[in-house]
Structure formats: C-alpha cells, structure tokens
Amino acid sequence: MQIPIFTVDAFTNRAFSGNPAAVCLLENDLDEDLHQKIATEMNLSETAFIRKLRPGDDFTKSSCFGLRWFTPASEVPLCGHATLASAAVLFHVQKNTNSVLTFVTLSGELKARQVEDHIVLDLPLYTAYPQVSQIFAAVGDMIVQDLRYSPDTKNLLVRLSDAYDRAVLEELQVNAQSFLSAEKTGKVKGLILTLKGNSSGKHKGHDFYSRYFAPWYGVLEDPVCGSAHAILSSYWSEQLGKKEML
C-alpha cells in the first residue's frame, strides 16, 4: 500500500517555521496500529490522517472527510495546526473545488474555509475553570496570577503575573521530566503558560502570549498550538472583554 504523506508548516508563510504537521491521504481503510506507527516514524508533534467517508468520495470534489490526529506517542482528540495543514493539502495540492471543508473528528465537526488567500478554521470553544492545584515545578518560583483547568481537553492553563513581560515567557527553560514527575494522575495532558500582552514596546498590540507543553503526549513543546487557543481565546476574551484578539 502506498500512502501519500505531506509535511506542512502551519501558521506561517515561510518554510521551516511555524508548526510542522504530517498529512496522510488514505484512499482505503488503514490497519489501526499503522496510524500510530506512521506517526511515530514521522516524529512530528502531529500526523493527520484524512479518510474518505463514503464509497465514491473524492479528495478533489468531496466536501466532508474523516480526520484523526496522532502524536509520536498516542492519538489526540483535537489538533488545530494539523487540521489547518490538512485543509491546505486538500485546497492547494488536491485542488479541492469546495470553498468549505468539513472534518468529522473526535471533537465533532470542524470546518475549514477559504477566505481570499487564507484558510480560516472554526474550532470548539472550551471553558477553563478555576483550579486549586500545585504549580508544576517547571514554573519554579514565578508568580502565578491565575490557574484554570479545562476538563474537555485535560489542559491546565497557568497565567503568569502581569508584572512579567514577553521575554520572561520566551526565555523560560523547561524540562519534560519535571512535568511528568509532577503530574502522574492522567488528569492533565497539556500545560498552557500564558501572559497578558503589553500595551507598549516593540510587541505593542498583542493581547496575550502563550507557550504550550504536552510531554504526556510525547511532545515537549508545540511551536504554536491551535487547539490550545480553543481555551486561550475563551479565557482571554473573558479577561479582556474582547471578541477579536491578536
């Protein structure tokens, strides 16, 4: 069996930047164990598998497909950047003729649409609730302003103090083992570190910053995580009183 595999750099217009994902086009059903073996060999944060839902479906003409995502270690319920990558392969490589694509996933139906020269995703909006918990060792002695937990995604959102600037978040050194040692219950599968944006300076205009870590899925850090923004957008919209954010 031959399976076309594409590597797509999502969230960027420059090669070798953004967040890479592998995208596999499945003409036929794939043995269940092969999904994970392929993802492990690709060794990217996510490998997406697009499958036809009905006999006669066509990657160029059909508008609805099945979609699954695998890290090098396991299947995940939602991945934004690999969904974007999948839409890009269908729109730009397969020349899909539809303006809107629907993906049937573990997180429900996700839509990707072409808007001029961009692709826009509709992702679920997940609420994160106040949490009383230990702060992971990776945060060290940094001041934490808010702590939330998303039961839908098993992500913990840690908001650092507004006193910190972007450089503090960028320069934070993390260790995968410190995460894994601090959380072994299975309740947490991802950690979002986030910071309120600055109203001045060279990065003026950004509403918030974030980094995302998921060593429980075999991914220490995602360069940029779409699914984390399903939580971040909900949180910061509430905090900032805004519906549109940078």
Side-chain angles (χ1 to χ4, degrees), residues 193-215:
L193 292 183
T194 188
L195 189 65
K196 185 179 179 181
N198 296 330
S199 58
S200 60
K202 67 177 181 177
H203 299 301
K204 180 181 179 181
H206 291 85
D207 293 290
F208 63 89
Y209 313 117
S210 68
R211 292 176 67 181
Y212 181 69
F213 307 90

Side-chain angles (χ1 to χ4, degrees), residues 44-57:
L44 295 173
S45 62
E46 305 287 349
T47 296
F49 295 87
I50 307 174
R51 69 186 187 279
K52 298 176 179 179
L53 296 177
R54 296 171 296 273
D57 276 357

Side-chain angles (χ1 to χ4, degrees), residues 43-214:
N43 200 33
L44 295 173
S45 62
E46 305 287 349
T47 296
F49 295 87
I50 307 174
R51 69 186 187 279
K52 298 176 179 179
L53 296 177
R54 296 171 296 273
D57 276 357
D58 186 284
F59 288 128
T60 300
K61 298 177 181 177
S62 301
S63 62
C64 188
F65 301 94
L67 182 62
R68 297 172 70 181
W69 312 277
F70 288 76
T71 74
S74 64
E75 185 172 12
V76 294
L78 177 64
C79 179
H81 85 279
T83 303
L84 183 63
S86 298
V89 168
L90 292 173
F91 281 138
H92 301 319
V93 180
Q94 297 297 310
K95 307 299 182 185
N96 191 283
T97 55
N98 296 281
S99 59
V100 179
L101 297 174
T102 301
F103 295 111
V104 179
T105 79
L106 290 176
S107 294
E109 291 190 354
L110 308 181
K111 294 187 182 298
R113 61 187 186 274
Q114 293 196 85
V115 179
E116 297 177 349
D117 60 345
H118 291 79
I119 298 173
V120 178
L121 293 184
D122 291 332
L123 295 176
L125 194 64
Y126 291 127
T127 300
Y129 302 95
Q131 175 81 3
V132 178
S133 172
Q134 68 180 45
I135 300 301
F136 289 112
V139 181
D141 57 358
M142 299 184 73
I143 301 172
V144 173
Q145 183 156 328
D146 199 3
L147 187 64
R148 304 286 181 103
Y149 177 71
S150 166
D152 296 294
T153 64
K154 294 187 176 181
N155 279 317
L156 189 68
L157 182 150
V158 178
R159 175 182 175 182
L160 300 177
S161 169
D162 291 349
Y164 297 126
D165 62 17
R166 172 173 166 164
V168 171
L169 184 61
E170 289 182 339
E171 294 167 6
L172 181 66
Q173 299 294 312
V174 299
N175 180 278
Q177 193 55 49
S178 66
F179 288 122
L180 297 173
S181 298
E183 169 51 49
K184 299 178 181 178
T185 66
K187 180 181 178 181
V188 174
K189 292 293 188 180
L191 176 65
I192 303 168
L193 292 183
T194 188
L195 189 65
K196 185 179 179 181
N198 296 330
S199 58
S200 60
K202 67 177 181 177
H203 299 301
K204 180 181 179 181
H206 291 85
D207 293 290
F208 63 89
Y209 313 117
S210 68
R211 292 176 67 181
Y212 181 69
F213 307 90

